[in-house]
């Protein structure tokens, strides 16, 4: 015969202060875990959404990022002549010679500054990304002018980054003429301007950072990758644009490891808190346990009852964690990118699967925390328990 569930619910309610404090400790532990998972999911979504699988980024051999790469104008012309490249309606090869540099901008509403990527490109580079990048306010920069169009994420997180603002990039002052919306992509954290003018102001007139090209089809993309790798005139490598950005999620790994470590330490503390709560419950209800045994409830039923109570306590903490974490869903944040040495802007993603994982994590803590107190309760002798010995 099983102990009624109402018995456990009543006891949790009677000890509501202790119940709430223990549940809150468990909830904070689960909330830390959900925060780390939400951050990594947001980063992954941002980089998975960035890039066209038919587009290749060409960089110098050994470079892990565009900023540490170099593609000269002569090499760009060699790339431009490669077979298998897509063309536009005018028959022009879809390839863009681009420059990446960094500008330091003050943060909006707080002290400090952040590094922001400035991408120099031409009209073709903008058109090659027109499927995911749209003008949000103002207009696109004019080629040959010191004009910038900035990502929506930059305008939201950095001061002096609005239409009409001026910022120094390289040796010149540039005017912000527009804001573009890159959706959930990494482009939202970039600033775009004319490649030739940016190269002049940055002192890089002959050599820019990379080349972006579009293949006709997947087979042509593989052929172009092989051609570039084996061309002795280049000493360059080609990588899928989508894969290039996906590789940058590695920047979030140190935080994942640190967050997981903190969550494990907190989980151990939460298990002991739940255990302490359940031991206190067993001590206060010694006579009740004796009565349950006299009424015919078995050791297994009593142990199961206390395990259920500990589980309910932990699940309450898990629900509190979900309530704490869910408002962060869709919230924009930023993190330093150890690959590009600049900020990445992303949105937290708290999915139903994560919430379910959080509840499961809380339940696991409750089961571990309630196991030994429940076993001790089941082992109490009925007569001694009635005497409250």
């Amino acid at each position: 015969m099983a102990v009624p569930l109402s018995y456990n619910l009543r006891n949790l309610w009677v000890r509501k202060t202790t119940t709430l404090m223990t549940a809150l400790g468990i909830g904070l532990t689960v909330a830390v875990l959900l925060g780390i998972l939400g951050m990594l999911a947001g980063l992954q979504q941002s980089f998975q959404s960035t890039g066209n699988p038919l587009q290749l980024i060409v960089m110098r051999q050994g470079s892990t990022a565009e900023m540490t790469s170099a593609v000269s104008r002569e090499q760009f012309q060699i790339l431009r002549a490669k077979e298998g490249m897509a063309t536009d309606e005018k028959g022009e090869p879809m390839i863009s010679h681009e420059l990446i540099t960094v500008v330091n901008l003050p943060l909006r509403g707080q002290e400090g500054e952040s590094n922001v990527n400035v991408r120099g490109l031409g009209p073709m580079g903008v058109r090659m990304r027109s499927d995911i990048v749209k003008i949000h306010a103002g207009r696109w920069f004019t080629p040959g002018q010191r004009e910038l169009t900035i990502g929506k994420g930059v305008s939201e997180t950095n001061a002096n980054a609005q239409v009409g603002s001026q910022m120094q990039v390289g040796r010149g002052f540039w005017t912000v003429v527009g804001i573009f919306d890159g959706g959930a992509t990494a482009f939202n954290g970039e600033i775009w301007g004319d490649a030739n003018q940016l190269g002049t102001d940055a002192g890089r007139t002959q050599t820019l950072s990379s080349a972006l090209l579009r293949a006709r089809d997947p087979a042509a993309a593989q052929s172009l990758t092989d051609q570039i790798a084996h061309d002795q005139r280049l000493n360059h490598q080609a990588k899928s644009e989508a894969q290039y950005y996906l590789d940058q999620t590695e920047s979030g790994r140190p935080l994942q490891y640190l967050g997981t470590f903190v969550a494990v330490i907190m989980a151990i503390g939460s298990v002991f808190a739940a255990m302490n709560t359940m031991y206190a419950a067993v001590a206060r209800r010694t006579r009740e346990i004796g009565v349950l045994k006299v009424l015919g409830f078995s050791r297994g039923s009593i142990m199961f009852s206390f395990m259920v109570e500990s589980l309910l306590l932990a699940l309450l903490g898990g629900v509190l964690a979900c309530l704490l974490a869910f408002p962060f869903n869709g919230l924009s944040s930023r993190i330093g990118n150890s690959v590009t040495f600049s900020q990445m802007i992303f949105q937290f993603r708290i999915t139903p699967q994560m919430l379910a994982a959080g509840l499961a994590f809380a339940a696991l803590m409750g089961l571990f925390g309630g196991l030994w107190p429940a076993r001790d309760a089941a082992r109490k002798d009925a007569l001694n328990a009635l005497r409250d010995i």
Side-chain angles (χ1 to χ4, degrees):
M1 171 169 68
V3 178
L5 182 62
S6 58
Y7 171 75
N8 305 110
L9 294 174
R10 180 185 65 81
N11 281 296
L12 289 173
W13 175 252
V14 167
R15 297 176 291 107
K16 50 182 173 291
T17 302
T18 304
T19 296
L20 184 59
M21 294 303 293
T22 305
L24 186 59
I26 293 173
L28 289 174
T29 301
V30 177
V32 168
L33 179 65
L34 290 177
I36 295 297
L37 293 176
M39 182 200 71
L40 290 174
L43 284 172
Q44 190 168 24
Q45 181 195 37
S46 175
F47 287 123
Q48 280 181 336
S49 303
T50 306
N52 185 322
L54 288 180
Q55 292 184 172
L56 303 175
I57 292 180
V58 181
M59 299 182 295
R60 183 172 53 192
Q61 283 284 357
S63 297
T64 57
E66 293 174 276
M67 191 175 297
T68 59
S69 173
V71 177
S72 69
R73 295 192 183 276
E74 291 78 13
Q75 290 167 333
F76 179 74
Q77 292 304 318
I78 294 172
L79 290 169
R80 203 170 184 273
K82 293 291 183 184
E83 290 292 331
M85 205 177 306
T87 57
D88 62 10
E89 63 277 2
K90 296 180 181 179
E92 291 293 319
M94 299 190 75
I95 182 170
S96 173
H97 201 186
E98 304 188 354
L99 173 64
I100 291 289
T101 187
V102 170
V103 65
N104 197 257
L105 296 180
L107 296 172
R108 178 189 291 270
Q110 57 181 301
E111 293 184 1
E113 299 177 325
S114 64
N115 290 334
V116 180
N117 275 351
V118 182
R119 181 179 297 275
L121 69 172
M124 179 62 78
V126 175
R127 289 171 57 194
M128 291 172 71
R129 300 174 173 95
S130 61
D131 53 334
I132 54 177
V133 174
K134 309 293 181 184
I135 277 291
H136 175 72
R139 60 177 174 82
W140 286 110
F141 60 87
T142 303
Q145 301 296 317
R146 287 192 174 95
E147 295 180 348
L148 299 171
T149 306
I150 65 176
K152 188 177 177 183
V154 177
S155 69
E156 291 174 348
T157 59
N158 294 95
N160 195 32
Q162 304 297 321
V163 175
S165 300
Q166 283 203 329
M167 61 181 69
Q168 185 172 4
V169 183
R171 294 193 292 259
F173 283 89
W174 296 59
T175 301
V176 177
V177 296
I179 299 172
F180 64 82
D181 187 352
T185 68
F187 296 136
N188 253 350
E190 293 186 348
I191 296 173
W192 290 3
D194 180 64
N196 292 325
Q197 186 61 56
L198 185 62
T200 299
D201 283 13
R204 297 181 62 177
T205 56
Q206 295 303 314
T207 302
L208 302 187
S209 301
S210 63
L212 178 72
L213 58 88
R214 181 178 296 179
R216 285 197 301 262
D217 50 51
Q222 184 58 55
S223 174
L224 280 165
T225 301
D226 294 338
Q227 289 180 53
I228 293 167
H230 294 99
D231 194 326
Q232 299 299 317
R233 298 170 296 175
L234 294 174
N235 191 33
H236 281 61
Q237 60 183 344
K239 179 183 287 190
S240 163
E241 185 186 25
Q243 186 61 47
Y244 170 78
Y245 283 102
L246 188 59
D247 289 345
Q248 292 188 27
T249 57
E250 293 300 315
S251 296
R253 294 302 172 192
L255 274 181
Q256 179 190 14
Y257 300 142
L258 178 61
T260 303
F261 176 75
V262 171
V264 168
I265 297 299
M266 291 180 67
I268 294 172
S270 297
V271 166
F272 279 107
M275 190 180 299
N276 184 64
T277 299
M278 294 309 299
Y279 267 125
V282 171
R284 282 196 298 266
R285 287 149 58 189
T286 300
R287 287 183 178 179
E288 291 180 21
I289 294 170
V291 171
L292 290 173
K293 288 200 169 186
V294 169
L295 291 175
F297 290 100
S298 66
R299 282 188 176 188
S301 296
I302 294 172
M303 182 175 178
F304 180 74
S305 176
F306 276 85
M307 287 290 292
V308 167
E309 190 169 321
S310 180
L311 180 62
L312 291 173
L313 179 66
L315 288 175
L316 176 60
V319 171
L320 289 175
C322 293
L323 293 176
L324 287 171
F326 192 73
F328 287 91
N329 186 44
L331 185 68
S332 293
S333 187
R334 59 187 182 82
I335 185 176
N337 188 331
S338 60
V339 178
T340 63
F341 306 105
S342 60
Q343 71 173 5
M344 297 184 296
I345 296 174
F346 66 96
Q347 293 180 334
F348 279 91
R349 291 189 67 237
I350 307 296
T351 65
Q353 293 83 354
M354 288 180 195
L355 297 179
L359 289 174
F361 186 48
L364 193 61
M365 286 189 284
L367 291 174
F368 274 107
L371 179 60
W372 284 274
R375 187 185 61 175
D376 287 354
R379 286 180 173 179
K380 284 187 177 293
D381 179 78
L383 293 178
N384 289 335
L386 288 171
R387 295 194 197 102
D388 196 12
I389 295 177

